Amino acid sequence: GGEGAEPCSEPALPKPLETLDRRECHYVVNFAREGELHLYCAAPTEDTYCDTHARLMRRPCPQRALR
């Protein structure tokens, strides 16, 4: 798989979804190809995402050029 997107300020060992606890960050940190596992940040959190990834998810999407 590819490298992750945004580094986390609360690093944890990434985990596949099947082993992720509800109190661990659910942000995908790798670019899995077909047949590969998506890995999730897994930093401790009281929400869906850790603070680092929550900020990233609230960022507005860049505008795409119209073709």
Side-chain angles (χ1 to χ4, degrees):
E3 291 300 312
E6 177 84 9
C8 180
S9 63
E10 304 126 48
L13 185 61
K15 296 181 175 183
L17 184 61
E18 295 79 26
T19 63
L20 203 60
D21 184 74
R22 66 181 182 86
R23 291 186 174 183
E24 293 175 318
C25 179
H26 282 62
Y27 186 85
V28 177
V29 295
N30 70 330
F31 300 107
R33 295 184 178 148
E34 188 173 338
E36 294 180 335
L37 283 176
H38 285 290
L39 297 176
Y40 297 80
C41 170
T45 184
E46 294 296 320
D47 207 345
T48 304
Y49 303 108
C50 65
D51 290 342
T52 299
H53 293 127
R55 281 192 302 276
L56 183 65
M57 297 301 290
R58 288 191 296 264
R59 234 175 22 188
C61 291
Q63 295 294 322
R64 291 186 178 188
L66 297 176
R67 294 178 190 203

